[in-house]
Amino acid sequence: MKKVIFQFVVLVSLFFGLWFALSSINWMSIFKIEKLTDDTEIKIGKTVWDLYKKTEKENKNEKALTALDSIVDRICSKNNINRETIKVHIIIKDDINAFAMPGGHLVVYSGLITASDNPDELAGVLAHEISHIELGHVMKKLIKEVGLSVLISMTSGNGGGETIKQVSKILSSSAFDRKLEKEADISAVEYMINANINPEPLAEFLYKLAENKKDETSYESWLSTHPDSKKRAEYILAYSKNKLKNPQPALSDTSWKILKENAAD
Amino acid sequence: MENNFEYQPSDHEAEKASNSYLMSLIALIAGMPLPIINLIASLIFFIGNRKGTYFVRWHCTQALLSQFSVLFINSFGFWWTISIMFGPETISSKYIGYIITMLIFNISEFIATIYSAIQTRKGIHVKWFFYGNLTNLICKA
């Protein structure tokens, strides 16, 4: 009996040992899989963004974009994120919303900027969306909702306008899995802590969303894609407690004023 | 692998014992896309021969038991692949490492099965690492 157990342990260890050893080889770069999916994502992102910007009004105000970029720069540089992979766009719309598109396009509605009480709230939402991009959630969601074959056909130009419209609708107004949302929240808090920005305003912003949902329809956009706001605010607060001693605002008062004034220009 | 058996099996017994491996070999090929098939096939053959002579029963049991490990390995690989194709999972080095490990185990099982089928056909007893001892515990004369 002992011999059987011993041989069983040997066999199981052999299996897991082999698997572990083989997993440590970077097959993704050997087979160039990552590159292929990255290229596909960039192409899909470009296709979706090109169509999306035709249907919406983009704010190209330099002052507003510079201010917004500086928040993203700070989050990226302190978290080893390649800044060039994130492309920030402001869309003039009253809805309070921000979302990530494939290929690192980060879309922020002017409504979100004007509804934020301070730059840290906005930085929190941006950090959350950057997390979705960095954790690869955007493509995961799209593959789940529309399927990989449809996405790939879009890059070859056979997708048709309707599919692209559907994709941008999914991105802007449907929720991620709860698990992915939580991952993005936790990662956003980490990004903010590393960038020395207080994560608590993100929690406050979520409380605000949850409380205002009955009164104002414009609050519904980001809220509808981010359910359970109160619960999320609670774990953001719990996770960020006592982690920062001397946080600095995400933007100076002057830059914040400039951003708010020019958001809907 | 060891090859001592208590008695010298007859030609008829050797043929039946050898067939149990051939059966699991065919089932292994057919069962690659749907791993449960090889288990069912070996199980049917095992039940069919459970009243056979000791040599035949012994080898049918070993052939059946050896299917279990590949059944688990292949089922896991099968569902992992399905969730990559249709679900939220993505290809990773961990997945590719698993598939290669799975292939190595399947090929080893394949070779061992062919070898056992040839040897048992000649009436030579073949006892596999682990499965042989396990069969000894289960299959009594």
Side-chain angles (χ1 to χ4, degrees):
Chain A
M1 187 66 189
K2 266 187 185 168
K3 204 175 172 188
V4 176
I5 295 169
F6 173 73
Q7 289 185 340
F8 177 72
V9 172
V10 170
L11 210 61
V12 171
S13 323
L14 190 72
F15 178 80
F16 283 100
L18 195 62
W19 179 18
F20 181 74
L22 286 168
S23 299
S24 57
I25 299 171
N26 193 355
W27 298 105
M28 302 299 277
S29 70
I30 294 173
F31 295 131
K32 294 186 176 142
I33 294 171
E34 203 105 62
K35 199 174 171 303
L36 187 75
T37 46
D38 274 357
D39 283 351
T40 317
E41 188 181 337
I42 289 167
K43 275 185 198 160
I44 294 168
K46 195 178 173 302
T47 318
V48 177
W49 170 246
D50 282 350
L51 191 92
Y52 186 77
K53 73 177 174 193
K54 277 181 201 157
T55 58
E56 302 292 340
K57 199 173 166 208
E58 191 184 357
N59 182 353
K60 292 198 170 165
N61 184 299
E62 287 280 335
K63 287 177 189 165
L65 280 170
T66 314
L68 196 61
D69 273 335
S70 74
I71 303 178
V72 178
D73 283 348
R74 184 161 150 196
I75 296 170
C76 290
S77 67
K78 300 287 178 190
N79 289 287
N80 297 323
I81 299 165
N82 183 357
R83 176 62 185 85
E84 282 172 19
T85 57
I86 316 273
K87 300 153 201 95
V88 191
H89 311 282
I90 304 175
I91 295 293
I92 301 174
K93 223 173 182 178
D94 289 338
D95 292 347
I96 298 169
N97 201 5
F99 58 90
M101 279 188 177
H105 293 275
L106 174 53
V107 178
V108 181
Y109 283 4
S110 56
L112 170 71
I113 301 172
T114 44
S116 303
D117 288 334
N118 56 60
D120 295 356
E121 283 186 1
L122 179 64
V125 176
L126 294 176
H128 175 91
E129 296 303 328
I130 293 172
S131 302
H132 278 314
I133 295 173
E134 287 301 302
L135 298 169
H137 291 171
V138 185
M139 283 303 277
K140 259 188 201 170
K141 177 180 173 181
L142 280 183
I143 290 169
K144 201 177 160 196
E145 303 260 339
V146 294
L148 190 61
S149 54
V150 175
L151 289 176
I152 290 172
S153 74
M154 271 171 55
T155 61
S156 55
N158 300 327
E162 273 311 306
T163 324
I164 304 169
K165 263 185 210 159
Q166 194 201 340
V167 167
S168 55
K169 192 158 187 280
I170 290 170
L171 292 168
S172 64
S173 54
S174 77
F176 284 93
D177 284 350
R178 277 178 198 192
K179 193 182 133 221
L180 298 187
E181 283 301 344
K182 190 165 184 177
E183 258 179 46
D185 280 335
I186 299 296
S187 149
V189 172
E190 273 170 13
Y191 285 171
M192 293 177 85
I193 291 168
N194 291 340
N196 203 25
I197 301 171
N198 189 4
E200 281 174 23
L202 173 62
E204 282 158 20
F205 184 72
L206 288 168
Y207 272 126
K208 203 164 67 180
L209 281 185
E211 267 151 30
N212 280 311
K213 74 173 172 188
K214 286 175 201 130
D215 322 328
E216 287 182 53
T217 47
S218 60
Y219 273 93
E220 273 176 16
S221 297
W222 210 64
L223 190 71
S224 70
T225 59
H226 295 82
D228 300 326
S229 293
K230 274 192 181 167
K231 224 184 241 172
R232 293 174 58 213
E234 278 161 20
Y235 66 66
I236 288 172
L237 283 179
Y239 191 78
S240 57
K241 214 175 182 182
N242 303 329
K243 289 212 172 133
L244 275 184
K245 288 215 172 81
N246 187 22
Q248 295 296 315
L251 272 183
S252 67
D253 285 346
T254 359
S255 303
W256 178 236
K257 214 175 150 200
I258 292 172
L259 177 59
K260 281 203 128 186
E261 278 168 2
N262 294 291
D265 256 9
Chain B
M1 289 185 190
E2 294 166 26
N3 37 18
N4 317 311
F5 201 64
E6 289 171 24
Y7 64 90
Q8 182 58 43
S10 71
D11 193 44
H12 178 68
E13 280 177 69
E15 192 183 340
K16 271 203 164 176
S18 171
N19 281 349
S20 70
Y21 290 103
L22 284 182
M23 185 77 178
S24 71
L25 193 69
I26 293 161
L28 193 65
I29 300 165
M32 270 196 181
L34 271 176
I36 195 76
I37 292 176
N38 50 15
L39 185 76
I40 294 169
S42 296
L43 200 65
I44 291 168
F45 200 76
F46 172 78
I47 291 167
N49 286 295
R50 71 186 189 281
K51 286 192 177 127
T53 63
Y54 182 40
F55 188 75
V56 177
R57 272 190 294 126
W58 200 97
H59 283 281
C60 278
T61 312
Q62 181 167 260
L64 176 73
L65 290 175
S66 65
Q67 294 291 326
F68 273 104
S69 55
V70 281
L71 171 81
F72 286 118
I73 295 170
N74 291 5
S75 299
F76 192 72
F78 175 74
W79 289 110
W80 198 346
T81 310
I82 291 290
S83 67
I84 283 175
M85 286 165 82
F86 304 106
E89 289 279 330
T90 48
I91 292 180
S92 58
S93 289
K94 215 170 162 184
Y95 169 75
I96 298 173
Y98 186 86
I99 294 297
I100 297 171
T101 315
M102 186 179 102
L103 284 176
I104 293 171
F105 268 70
N106 274 277
I107 291 166
S108 319
E109 163 105 12
F110 202 75
I111 294 168
T113 307
I114 294 174
Y115 177 77
S116 307
I118 296 167
Q119 294 302 90
T120 44
R121 183 66 192 85
K122 291 178 195 159
I124 302 165
H125 180 57
V126 182
K127 195 177 147 199
W128 291 19
F129 179 81
F130 171 64
Y131 298 105
N133 287 320
L134 192 64
T135 311
N136 274 342
L137 284 179
I138 295 169
C139 199
K140 301 286 177 213

